[in-house]
């Protein structure tokens, strides 16, 4: 009887669980680095399966609504138009030798992220949603491609995936989260940690009212070359032409 009890105790002991199936172990502090690695590897595998070589990253507020107040409808509709334009002209719609370029990638949430994914969806192109678990759950929008919609725990790994394939960055009006992502990419460009890529802010009046780029330059906080990292556009078509004028390469046929 004692041997039976001992055997059951062994089988029921947490230490006897297979490591790969032990949630308590995998979610413990010692496995934090492994969880980082998993959040890198899983999206990477899916993106590789779809042949996605590069993206156009579109940021913007989750709070903007298609029928919202003020400028919200205009911002939403232009972000949607841009998602369609970029997907049709950039290489996302039709892969070349199994490779897709300039695929729309967003933070996967509602608002202007939804609008950009929706534009890609409108023309039948795939698009990516890099979603994040938040205290007030951010649900994925309905327009990102299901097999290319990912859920992250770590902001750092989400940012890495957003940045590492970006051929261009388009930033629609937004708040703290949008500013965080914008300055992340600007810092990577300023320091040479990211390759050259055009950065376009949509709605010059909005962005110049909240970020005084010229004041940063005046006080010597940035250089003239840093200041020139940022471009402005006020329509979806103008965003696209500004990207092309500043080096975006397309691979569509």
């Amino acid at each position: 009887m004692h041997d039976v009890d001992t055997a059951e105790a062994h089988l029921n002991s947490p230490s006897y669980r297979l490591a790969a199936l032990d949630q308590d172990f995998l979610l413990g502090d010692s496995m934090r680095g492994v969880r980082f690695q998993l959040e890198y590897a899983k999206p990477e595998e899916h993106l590789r399966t779809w042949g996605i070589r590069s993206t156009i990253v579109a940021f913007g507020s989750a709070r903007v609504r298609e029928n919202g107040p003020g400028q919200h409808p205009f911002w939403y509709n232009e972000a949607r138009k841009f998602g369609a334009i970029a997907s049709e002209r950039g290489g996302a719609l039709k892969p070349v030798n199994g490779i897709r370029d300039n695929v729309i990638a967003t933070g996967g949430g509602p608002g202007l992220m939804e609008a950009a994914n929706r534009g890609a969806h409108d023309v039948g192109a795939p698009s990516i949603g890099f979603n994040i678990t938040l205290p007030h759950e951010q649900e994925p929008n309905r327009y990102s491609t299901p097999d290319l919609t990912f859920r992250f725990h770590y902001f750092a790994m989400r940012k890495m995936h957003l940045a590492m394939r970006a051929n261009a960055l388009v930033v629609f009006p937004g708040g703290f989260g949008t500013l965080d992502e914008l300055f992340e990419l600007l810092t990577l460009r300023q320091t040479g940690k990211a390759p050259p890529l055009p950065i376009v802010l949509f709605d010059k009046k909005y962005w110049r009212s909240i970020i005084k780029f010229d004041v940063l330059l005046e006080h010597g906080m940035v250089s003239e070359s840093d200041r020139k990292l940022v471009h402005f556009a006020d329509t979806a078509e103008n965003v696209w032409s500004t990207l092309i004028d500043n080096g975006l390469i397309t691979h569509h046929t």
Side-chain angles (χ1 to χ4, degrees), residues 36 57 59 154-164 166 169 171 175-195 197 199 201 207 211 213 229-230:
F36 264 87
V57 175
F59 294 147
Y154 297 107
F155 269 106
M157 192 53 63
R158 181 195 191 214
K159 287 181 178 181
M160 182 173 175
H161 274 290
L162 281 163
M164 64 188 293
L169 170 64
V171 190
F176 289 170
T178 303
L179 288 165
D180 177 46
E181 303 287 2
L182 168 61
F183 282 105
E184 176 88 10
L185 266 295
L186 281 175
T187 302
L188 290 174
R189 281 293 301 114
Q190 180 191 50
T191 57
K193 292 291 187 179
L197 76 162
I199 299 172
L201 308 188
W207 285 111
I211 305 175
F213 293 103
L229 293 173
V230 176

Side-chain angles (χ1 to χ4, degrees), residues 80-146:
R80 181 178 177 181
K81 288 178 185 177
F82 174 73
I85 290 168
S87 297
E88 286 185 313
R89 303 178 192 174
L93 189 58
K94 296 180 180 179
V96 177
N97 298 322
I99 299 296
R100 295 180 193 266
D101 281 296
N102 300 318
V103 176
I104 288 291
T106 78
L112 294 174
M113 295 175 283
E114 172 190 292
N117 287 126
R118 187 175 179 179
H121 183 270
D122 288 341
V123 297
S127 69
I128 303 164
F130 290 119
N131 216 299
I132 185 99
T133 299
L134 298 172
H136 303 288
E137 193 66 34
Q138 176 176 292
E139 297 294 334
N141 70 65
R142 71 180 74 179
Y143 299 107
S144 60
T145 302

